[in-house]
Amino acid sequence: MRPGKAAHADRCPVSAVMGLRERKKLEAWRTIRSAALGLISERGFDAVSVEDIAAEAGVSRTTFFSYFSSKEAVVYDLDPEEVRQWRALLDDPRDGQPLWAAITEVALGLAQLLSERLPLQKRLFEQSPELCRSARGTCDSFEPDLKLWLAARVPDGDELRTALVFNTALAAFTTAIEAWDPDDPFETFLESVRDCLRWAGAGLARTGS
Amino acid sequence: MRPGKAAHADRCPVSAVMGLRERKKLEAWRTIRSAALGLISERGFDAVSVEDIAAEAGVSRTTFFSYFSSKEAVVYDLDPEEVRQWRALLDDPRDGQPLWAAITEVALGLAQLLSERLPLQKRLFEQSPELCRSARGTCDSFEPDLKLWLAARVPDGDELRTALVFNTALAAFTTAIEAWDPDDPFETFLESVRDCLRWAGAGLARTGS
DNA sequence: AGCGAAACCTGAACTCAGTACAAGTTCTTA
DNA sequence: TAAGAACTTGTACTGAGTTCAGGTTTCGCT
């Protein structure tokens, strides 16, 4: 039997035994990201170059791009640990729940998961149109997973309607983000997410509240 | 009384008397755009540089950027003539119609307006992830106008709900675009737009068709 | 007709994101 | 511990987007 490294290191709070290489990689990832967020949140997104970030993280520009696929990605990408939580969120069977209710739960779970990052991100959006324009990129990490999840739940539904459900849920979520003031308590944001999903679920053609 | 140039040239099918300067500008705009679309649709978006386009249009790179704010913009931006039609579409009072019905009409009108361009655009999306990623930019020209229009119709409604209505309508529209095969007849696309808006209006939490 | 101002076009020089690659370093595994 | 895979780095390149000074065209007015 081998020393560390049992079977596969897919479970456990990530940090478990997983080889020097992997551990270093995660560490480097986090170093780069926090260097980036530090610089960006004090100078603003546009005023920080990838070179600045790399220098601050003590790493080369080339290496930066081997960890993040773009400058925006360093703001959007999920920590591996968060990815794990996200998958766990989707793996919950949620049997018997109607589709829209299940979606609402996933959305709220996601919001919780992002609670640390979101206020900062929102503030960055406000000051940098550059970044804001690519805001849709936030979802790039979620989209594939979420589409699979949806497809599994609506096995034979028609394509168009399934896509609509997905995009509308996303619209509800981003609407809540747009409307949220990052200085307000996070609970306010969660309320908005709930409201938006409820309204969209009930039908927007309905007048009144 | 002066010769040409009566009052202001805001009405009329644009092409009316409007000064040499303006006419040249419009002409240059169209030359650049069609040079761009020509090159792009034969070589693909990524394989054409701004320099290529400028050269093909017989104009300098600098000038290109004085007409279009980015390389993507040359694909997305509306011809001034189309802008005129778009504004006309929004100016129609549509009295007495419930909000969602009015939105549906605007969306269908917009689709009609884009009918020429859309098949090509869709094909470009399919081949260039680069371009596709910034697809949301398509709406950048519509967003401000549309938000004003909406705000005028829901004068005292709450912000969040208004934003949700807007984003959901947009989601419905883009869903129809995503699902559409540009080789199918345009009517198919219009049907999808109608369906998506109807479903979103009726409430996505409702199961079944 | 003609003149001054404003708008326009252009080439050159620059910044920065993103990619390619070859050469060096570090970890893994058997 | 040696072969090899994975990772890092500097260098060099492409291409988008900006700035700017200087030249040309059009406009408004007389």
Side-chain angles (χ1 to χ4, degrees):
Chain A
M1 50 190 101
R2 329 214 210 79
K5 180 108 207 295
H8 265 103
D10 277 333
R11 49 205 174 81
C12 69
V14 165
S15 60
V17 271
M18 56 177 182
L20 216 201
R21 183 154 269 168
E22 259 174 299
R23 242 180 303 128
K24 277 200 170 179
K25 228 182 155 191
L26 180 54
E27 196 193 357
W29 191 96
R30 286 182 171 149
T31 304
I32 297 175
R33 148 159 259 157
S34 67
L37 292 186
L39 291 179
I40 289 174
S41 62
E42 73 182 36
R43 290 193 219 159
F45 186 77
D46 306 310
V48 173
S49 72
V50 171
E51 195 147 331
D52 295 336
I53 297 172
E56 178 81 11
V59 103
S60 80
R61 228 172 65 86
T62 312
T63 299
F64 175 93
F65 283 111
S66 91
Y67 280 91
F68 299 94
S69 63
S70 68
K71 189 183 165 191
E72 287 82 38
V74 87
V75 175
Y76 295 136
D77 279 4
L78 291 179
D79 188 289
E81 171 65 19
E82 292 172 315
V83 171
R84 218 183 45 77
Q85 293 177 263
W86 164 243
R87 301 230 197 264
L89 188 62
L90 286 189
D91 281 349
D92 181 324
R94 260 175 270 270
D95 291 322
Q97 272 190 66
L99 181 63
W100 200 255
I103 289 178
T104 303
E105 277 198 9
V106 169
L108 290 170
L110 177 59
Q112 294 286 6
L113 209 154
L114 297 176
S115 55
E116 300 263 309
R117 177 206 323 286
L118 225 42
L120 173 58
Q121 274 192 14
K122 185 66 206 294
R123 260 181 282 265
L124 295 180
F125 284 173
E126 282 165 3
Q127 66 177 217
S128 165
E130 187 58 31
L131 185 62
C132 193
R133 200 156 43 70
S134 66
R136 174 88 204 237
T138 323
C139 329
D140 284 358
S141 4
F142 308 120
E143 200 162 320
D145 290 332
L146 210 39
K147 281 208 162 137
L148 283 175
W149 181 85
L150 239 192
R153 302 215 141 226
V154 196
D156 54 340
D158 79 274
E159 301 275 319
L160 183 60
R161 195 174 160 96
T162 306
L164 179 64
V165 165
F166 175 79
N167 285 330
T168 304
L170 208 70
F173 196 79
T174 58
T175 301
I177 293 183
E178 277 173 29
W180 177 52
D181 177 340
D183 293 323
D184 285 347
F186 198 71
E187 183 54 42
T188 309
F189 169 61
L190 291 181
E191 270 312 316
S192 296
V193 172
R194 247 187 296 264
D195 285 347
C196 287
L197 282 164
R198 188 155 37 75
W199 290 335
L204 291 170
R206 311 180 60 74
T207 53
S209 82
Chain B
M1 48 188 98
R2 326 210 211 82
K5 177 107 208 295
H8 265 102
D10 276 333
R11 51 206 173 79
C12 68
V14 164
S15 61
V17 270
M18 57 179 181
L20 216 201
R21 185 154 269 167
E22 261 174 298
R23 241 179 305 127
K24 277 199 169 178
K25 226 179 158 192
L26 181 54
E27 195 193 357
W29 192 95
R30 286 181 171 149
T31 304
I32 298 175
R33 149 160 254 154
S34 64
L37 292 187
L39 292 179
I40 289 174
S41 61
E42 73 182 36
R43 289 193 219 158
F45 186 78
D46 306 310
V48 174
S49 72
V50 171
E51 195 147 326
D52 295 336
I53 297 172
E56 178 81 11
V59 104
S60 81
R61 228 171 65 85
T62 313
T63 298
F64 175 94
F65 282 111
S66 91
Y67 280 90
F68 299 94
S69 64
S70 68
K71 189 183 166 189
E72 286 82 38
V74 87
V75 174
Y76 295 136
D77 279 5
L78 290 179
D79 187 290
E81 171 65 18
E82 292 173 314
V83 171
R84 218 182 47 76
Q85 293 177 263
W86 163 242
R87 301 231 197 263
L89 187 63
L90 287 188
D91 280 350
D92 182 323
R94 260 174 266 274
D95 290 323
Q97 273 190 64
L99 182 63
W100 200 256
I103 288 179
T104 303
E105 278 199 8
V106 169
L108 290 170
L110 177 59
Q112 293 286 6
L113 210 153
L114 297 177
S115 54
E116 300 263 310
R117 178 205 324 286
L118 226 43
L120 173 58
Q121 275 189 218
K122 185 67 205 294
R123 260 180 282 265
L124 295 181
F125 284 174
E126 282 165 2
Q127 66 178 216
S128 163
E130 187 58 31
L131 185 62
C132 193
R133 200 157 42 71
S134 65
R136 174 88 202 237
T138 323
C139 330
D140 284 359
S141 5
F142 309 119
E143 199 162 321
D145 291 331
L146 210 40
K147 279 206 163 138
L148 283 174
W149 181 85
L150 239 191
R153 304 215 139 227
V154 196
D156 55 339
D158 78 272
E159 300 275 319
L160 183 61
R161 193 172 160 98
T162 306
L164 178 63
V165 166
F166 174 80
N167 284 329
T168 304
L170 209 69
F173 195 79
T174 57
T175 301
I177 292 183
E178 278 173 29
W180 177 52
D181 177 342
D183 292 323
D184 284 348
F186 198 71
E187 182 57 40
T188 309
F189 169 61
L190 291 181
E191 269 312 317
S192 295
V193 172
R194 247 188 295 267
D195 285 347
C196 287
L197 282 164
R198 190 155 36 77
W199 290 335
L204 291 171
R206 311 179 60 74
T207 53
S209 79

